[in-house]
Amino acid sequence: MNTPKPAIPNTTVTRNVHDLDRTTDNIYESLVIISKRANQISNNMKEELHGKLAEFASSNDNLEEIFENREQIEISKHYERMPKPSLIAIDEFLNDKIYHRNPSKEQK
């Protein structure tokens, strides 16, 4: 649980559309970049969560053990409180932390 908590809001934030197309000059291209990055973040978070929860898996689970495992519940709650992957991706995009390129633009 030593993952540093990013300073990304968990609530709805109104975004200026012109900020999103600042680097690409195309809002749709920016949204594709953000969505691909959000998918990467989501997959990484999912793998990390499954890895941590796999430690608690046993071959002979009974209902009492499932409901009484506090550590597993705390891990799940931690991941539920984390910012959504789309919010993280938007923040990274707006702060120029995502490397992106468009091969069709490079050829011209």
Side-chain angles (χ1 to χ4, degrees):
M1 296 274 185
N2 295 341
T3 308
K5 192 171 188 178
I8 299 172
N10 279 331
T11 59
T12 305
V13 176
T14 304
R15 304 279 182 191
N16 186 351
V17 177
H18 298 293
D19 290 342
L20 293 176
D21 70 356
R22 176 175 32 113
T23 58
T24 60
D25 295 326
N26 186 337
I27 186 68
Y28 301 107
E29 185 177 348
S30 297
L31 292 177
V32 167
I33 294 166
I34 291 169
S35 67
K36 287 183 178 184
R37 179 61 182 141
N39 284 336
Q40 290 174 345
I41 294 168
S42 176
N43 289 337
N44 289 342
M45 289 172 69
K46 192 180 300 184
E47 287 177 14
E48 185 179 325
L49 175 61
H50 286 301
K52 288 183 179 182
L53 293 178
E55 297 173 7
F56 299 103
S58 66
S59 60
N60 55 356
D61 287 338
N62 61 27
L63 289 177
E64 292 174 7
E65 289 179 4
I66 293 173
F67 290 116
E68 293 180 4
N69 195 339
R70 293 285 174 218
E71 290 180 47
Q72 187 175 4
I73 293 170
E74 289 301 317
I75 289 173
S76 296
K77 285 182 180 180
H78 170 73
Y79 277 89
E80 288 174 4
R81 287 189 297 261
M82 289 178 68
K84 304 295 179 238
S86 56
L87 293 175
I88 297 171
I90 290 170
D91 183 67
E92 289 179 357
F93 184 79
L94 292 176
N95 292 316
D96 297 324
K97 294 180 182 177
I98 298 176
Y99 170 76
H100 58 87
R101 64 185 188 90
N102 187 340
S104 63
K105 284 185 177 180
E106 293 174 0
Q107 292 175 355
K108 294 180 180 179

